[in-house]
């Protein structure tokens, strides 16, 4: 989803200014036929799929030439005429056409595209060039047909690119915005590349005096380039990765949004992962993902997508886990329908240990209902790891009970990144609890995926003990005797990774894990890979 693009409001130049400025095209414009004073509702064709959502709004550009140039002819009622450049398609437009018809409006819009393209010429006045590029930018918002009409003139793309060097911020922004729209069409994207658009955009975005509006439009053009896998390699060779990553910290939220979208596309190419990580992208993406502001909804989605792609490399996955995030397999919301909460009994910690009863029972049983009343007793005070495990378990079990698990805030079922749609990223407290919850379900495929994910996430002592406190060890030991071979192998893999912690090894002993492991070794049906993992446990 694309960010909302700013639609600039171009002020009409005052008559006083016009009196002192003489345009070399004044004589030509004075000869233009007048158009209808009242503009009917314009009808546009549906824009191309690559065009951003915010481009699909209809914008008619009313260019009041009677302020800017010598006045055009007036109608019988004395009302001044104006030139309307609409989002219309081309038409031959006969003399007897009704001015208010869509065909007439199409004719009036496309008839003057060539005029404004000519106004971009280097031999024209700077004010005329600025006026023309702003008008063409607005006109291009009408969709691919409007862009086709602009691009039918040879050399116009070079004139547009030349205005990126303009000293006028409005002209530079309009040129970048028009390139943004033009490069949304693949055919013209290639033409723009051949004309040097990428290099000029890179040069423009490196300016120290660049405004947020120009920066946004330049990044949107780079975003269009990043859609094409072949062009991503040019981005890598242009030293633009570091500026793009730096823009993830920009003060302007729209700039952040576009930078996050570019990063999401770049992570689709694995050859970029190393360069992105070296540029420091992981901590920035984690920060964006953890920002709770409502305005960051799109940014969080793009950041999650990028982190999922980066996590496909084991070394970078470990860096993501070190930042406090866990990769979770998406098993489908239907898999959680088999979840059944435990019947009411005296509460226990997720690892199975009971919460000690108060030595001072309440007369009316309040201490049994409100466990917080006994937390002031040193014997019953849990450590931080147990508290985090209880919080995570409560959150995930609640989501499973109400049927909201694996759904986003808009009530839509979650999906992964654009290419890897089988995983998502969660904070470690919820991620650990989610994985432990999944291995307790009935779906065999989901259990195997979750068990394997537990092993992948057990990269440090903190994560290993967190899984232990969440109750993963007992469940994984039981899964060693599961009927499904992939489940047994995934469970053995998870226990192998967890056993790197001495605390986890002690927990395995307490849960009579030695006997289970011996039985696995004695079983003639145990796969060789599982035997290798079982024999590596440090028990």
């Amino acid at each position: 989803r694309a960010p909302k693009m700013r639609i600039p409001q171009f002020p009409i130049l005052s008559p006083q200014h016009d009196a002192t400025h003489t345009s070399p095209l004044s004589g030509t414009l004075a000869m233009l036929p007048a158009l209808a004073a009242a503009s009917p509702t314009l009808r546009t064709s549906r824009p191309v799929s690559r065009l951003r959502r915010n481009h699909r709004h209809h914008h008619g550009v009313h260019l009041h030439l009677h302020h800017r140039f010598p006045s055009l002819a007036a109608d019988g009622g004395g009302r001044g005429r104006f030139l309307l450049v609409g989002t219309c398609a081309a038409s031959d437009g006969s003399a007897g056409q009704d001015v208010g018809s869509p065909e007439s409006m199409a004719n009036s819009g496309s008839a003057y595209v060539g005029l404004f393209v000519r106004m971009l010429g280097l031999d024209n006045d700077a004010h005329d060039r600025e006026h023309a590029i702003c008008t063409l930018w607005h006109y291009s918002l009408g969709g691919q047909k409007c862009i086709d009409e602009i691009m039918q003139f040879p050399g116009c793309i070079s004139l547009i690119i030349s205005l990126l060097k303009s000293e006028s911020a409005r002209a530079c922004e309009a040129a970048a915005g028009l390139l943004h729209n033009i490069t949304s069409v693949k055919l013209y994207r290639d033409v723009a590349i051949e004309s040097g658009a990428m290099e000029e955009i890179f040069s423009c975005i490196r300016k120290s005096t660049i405004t947020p509006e120009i920066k946004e439009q330049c990044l949107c053009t780079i975003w269009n380039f990043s859609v094409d896998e072949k062009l991503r390699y040019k981005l890598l060779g242009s030293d633009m990765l570091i500026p793009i990553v730096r823009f993830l910290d920009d003060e302007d939220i729209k700039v952040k949004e576009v930078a996050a979208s570019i990063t999401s596309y770049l992570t689709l190419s694995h050859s970029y992962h190393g360069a992105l990580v070296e540029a420091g992208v992981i901590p920035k993406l984690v920060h964006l993902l953890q920002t709770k502001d409502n305005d960051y909804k799109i940014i969080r989605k793009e950041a999650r997508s990028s982190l999922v792609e980066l996590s496909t490399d084991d070394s970078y996955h470990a860096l993501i886990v070190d930042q406090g995030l866990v990769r979770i397999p998406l098993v489908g919301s239907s898999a959680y329908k088999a979840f059944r909460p435990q019947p009411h009994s005296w509460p226990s910690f997720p690892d199975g240990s009971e919460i000690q009863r108060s030595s001072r029972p309440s007369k009316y049983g309040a201490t049994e209902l409100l466990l917080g009343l006994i937390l002031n007793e040193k014997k019953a005070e849990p450590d931080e790891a147990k508290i985090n495990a209880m919080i995570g378990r409560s959150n995930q079990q609640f989501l499973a009970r109400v049927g909201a698990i694996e759904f986003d805030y808009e009530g839509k079922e979650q999906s992964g990144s654009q290419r890897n749609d089988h995983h998502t990223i969660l904070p470690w407290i919820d991620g650990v609890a989610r994985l432990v919850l999944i291995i307790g379900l009935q779906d065999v495929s989901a259990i195997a995926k979750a068990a394997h994910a537990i092993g992948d996430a057990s990269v440090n002592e903190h994560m290993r003990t967190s899984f232990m406190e969440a109750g993963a060890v007992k469940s994984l030991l039981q899964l060693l005797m599961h009927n499904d071979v992939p489940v047994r192998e995934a469970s053995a893999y998870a226990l192998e990774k967890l056993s790197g912690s001495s605390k986890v090894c002690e927990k395995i002993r307490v849960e009579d894990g030695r006997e289970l492991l011996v039985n696995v070794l004695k079983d003639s049906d145990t796969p060789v890979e599982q035997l290798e993992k079982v024999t590596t446990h440090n028990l």
Side-chain angles (χ1 to χ4, degrees):
R1 183 181 175 185
K4 293 181 179 178
M5 186 179 67
R6 298 180 180 89
I7 302 302
Q9 300 297 325
F10 300 122
I12 304 301
L13 300 179
S14 64
Q16 291 80 3
H17 176 86
D18 297 335
T20 61
H21 170 64
T22 302
S23 169
L25 297 178
S26 298
T28 303
L29 289 171
M31 300 172 61
L32 294 177
L35 301 181
S39 65
T41 303
L42 300 178
R43 299 178 184 177
T44 68
S45 60
R46 185 175 181 179
V48 291
S49 59
R50 286 292 188 190
L51 214 56
R52 305 298 177 208
R53 180 180 61 82
N54 41 34
H55 295 177
R56 301 185 183 183
H57 296 300
H58 172 71
H59 297 281
V61 182
H62 297 267
L63 183 58
H64 295 262
L65 292 175
H66 61 279
H67 287 309
R68 184 75 175 87
F69 300 106
S71 58
L72 302 180
D75 62 0
R79 183 170 49 184
R81 307 273 183 152
F82 57 81
L83 175 64
L84 172 64
V85 179
T87 53
C88 316
S91 172
D92 54 358
S94 62
Q97 242 176 2
D98 181 8
V99 175
S101 68
E103 290 79 6
S104 175
M105 298 311 300
N107 179 46
S108 64
S110 59
Y112 299 109
V113 171
L115 169 66
F116 287 106
V117 171
R118 288 197 301 273
M119 288 173 65
L120 297 177
L122 299 176
D123 57 339
N124 290 321
D125 184 86
H127 294 283
D128 290 339
R129 299 184 74 204
E130 177 182 320
H131 207 64
I133 192 67
C134 292
T135 303
L136 290 173
W137 179 21
H138 265 294
Y139 187 70
S140 69
L141 297 174
Q144 184 172 355
K145 285 189 176 181
C146 296
I147 295 173
D148 289 341
E149 291 171 9
I150 296 173
M151 291 298 293
Q152 69 179 325
F153 298 97
C156 70
I157 190 71
S158 298
L159 295 175
I160 296 168
I161 293 172
S162 68
L163 282 167
L164 291 173
K165 300 177 182 179
S166 174
E167 296 180 358
S168 167
R170 288 176 59 230
C172 186
E173 179 190 356
L178 182 52
L179 281 174
H180 170 202
N181 296 345
I182 289 173
T183 55
S184 65
V185 182
K186 186 181 187 307
L187 174 63
Y188 303 139
R189 189 185 308 141
D190 297 335
V191 175
I193 290 294
E194 293 173 0
S195 302
M198 181 178 284
E199 292 75 14
E200 290 299 331
I201 285 288
F202 291 164
S203 176
C204 181
I205 208 170
R206 289 191 180 101
K207 293 179 182 177
S208 58
T209 57
I210 188 172
T211 65
E213 292 79 13
I214 299 175
K215 189 187 303 181
E216 179 188 347
Q217 296 303 327
C218 288
L219 283 174
C220 284
T221 307
I222 296 175
W223 184 4
N224 287 339
F225 293 150
S226 68
V227 172
D228 193 328
E229 187 172 1
K230 294 182 296 183
L231 299 181
R232 293 176 201 152
Y233 294 100
K234 289 191 175 183
L235 288 172
L236 180 62
S238 63
D239 298 328
M240 276 301 298
L241 285 185
I242 293 178
I244 290 172
V245 172
R246 187 174 67 247
F247 289 139
L248 293 173
D249 290 332
D250 198 272
E251 295 179 356
D252 192 304
I253 188 171
K254 293 183 180 295
V255 173
K256 280 184 180 179
E257 197 171 299
V258 183
S261 299
I262 295 173
T263 304
S264 177
Y265 271 110
L266 294 180
T267 56
L268 295 178
S269 299
H270 282 262
S271 57
Y272 272 97
H273 289 186
L276 286 168
V277 172
E278 290 179 5
V281 74
I282 289 180
K284 296 181 186 297
L285 291 174
V286 171
H287 174 71
L288 293 176
L289 182 60
Q290 294 175 341
T291 304
K292 303 301 182 183
D293 195 324
N294 289 335
D295 294 335
Y296 280 68
K297 186 180 297 183
I298 296 175
I299 297 177
R300 286 195 295 270
K301 181 179 180 180
E302 299 291 3
R304 180 180 289 107
S305 174
S306 299
L307 289 170
V308 169
E309 288 296 337
L310 290 171
S311 68
T312 56
D313 296 325
D314 292 340
S315 55
Y316 305 141
H317 177 237
L319 295 177
I320 293 172
V321 174
D322 287 338
Q323 293 289 326
L325 299 176
V326 179
R327 185 178 61 186
I328 308 295
L330 294 174
V331 299
S333 56
S334 59
Y336 295 93
K337 293 180 180 179
F339 171 73
R340 295 291 181 272
Q342 295 179 350
H344 176 72
S345 60
W346 182 255
S348 63
F349 290 110
D351 64 349
S353 56
E354 270 199 0
I355 298 177
Q356 294 183 5
R357 297 175 183 268
S358 174
S359 58
R360 296 170 294 168
S362 169
K363 179 178 180 180
Y364 299 102
T367 54
E368 296 186 8
L369 181 63
L370 304 174
L371 299 179
L373 295 176
I374 64 173
L375 292 182
N376 60 343
E377 299 183 15
K378 293 184 178 180
K379 292 182 180 179
E381 184 176 357
D383 56 24
E384 185 178 0
K386 291 186 181 296
I387 293 175
N388 290 330
M390 292 184 70
I391 293 173
R393 181 182 67 176
S394 299
N395 291 342
Q396 297 305 309
Q397 288 189 358
F398 171 76
L399 292 175
R401 285 199 302 270
V402 300
I405 206 162
E406 288 195 9
F407 282 84
D408 58 21
Y409 294 109
E410 297 178 353
K412 300 178 182 178
E413 191 161 359
Q414 284 182 338
S415 60
S417 66
Q418 298 172 54
R419 190 173 66 180
N420 187 342
D421 58 349
H422 302 301
H423 292 86
T424 187
I425 294 285
L426 288 178
W428 70 269
I429 293 178
D430 291 317
V432 168
R434 174 78 64 86
L435 291 174
V436 174
L437 175 62
I438 295 175
I439 62 176
L441 302 176
Q442 297 178 3
D443 190 312
V444 173
S445 175
I447 294 172
K449 292 176 182 178
H452 201 278
I454 289 175
D456 291 341
S458 300
V459 298
N460 53 44
E461 181 68 13
H462 167 69
M463 293 303 300
R464 295 184 190 109
T465 54
S466 296
F467 280 115
M468 179 191 70
E469 295 293 350
V473 172
K474 184 175 181 179
S475 298
L476 290 171
L477 288 172
Q478 294 173 350
L479 291 174
L480 289 175
M481 308 304 295
H482 199 278
N483 295 330
D484 188 74
V485 174
V487 170
R488 295 204 301 267
E489 291 178 348
S491 302
Y493 169 72
L495 287 169
E496 176 195 8
K497 297 297 184 180
L498 289 171
S499 63
S501 168
S502 57
K503 294 181 180 179
V504 174
C505 290
E506 180 62 30
K507 181 67 174 179
I508 293 175
R509 296 189 190 98
V510 171
E511 297 290 345
D512 297 328
R514 283 183 173 180
E515 288 74 11
L516 283 172
L517 295 173
V518 170
N519 292 335
V520 170
L521 292 173
K522 290 180 178 180
D523 189 351
S524 58
D525 296 331
T526 302
V528 176
E529 293 184 0
Q530 185 179 355
L531 288 173
E532 293 176 352
K533 291 178 174 59
V534 169
T535 54
T536 58
H537 292 319
N538 302 318
L539 299 179

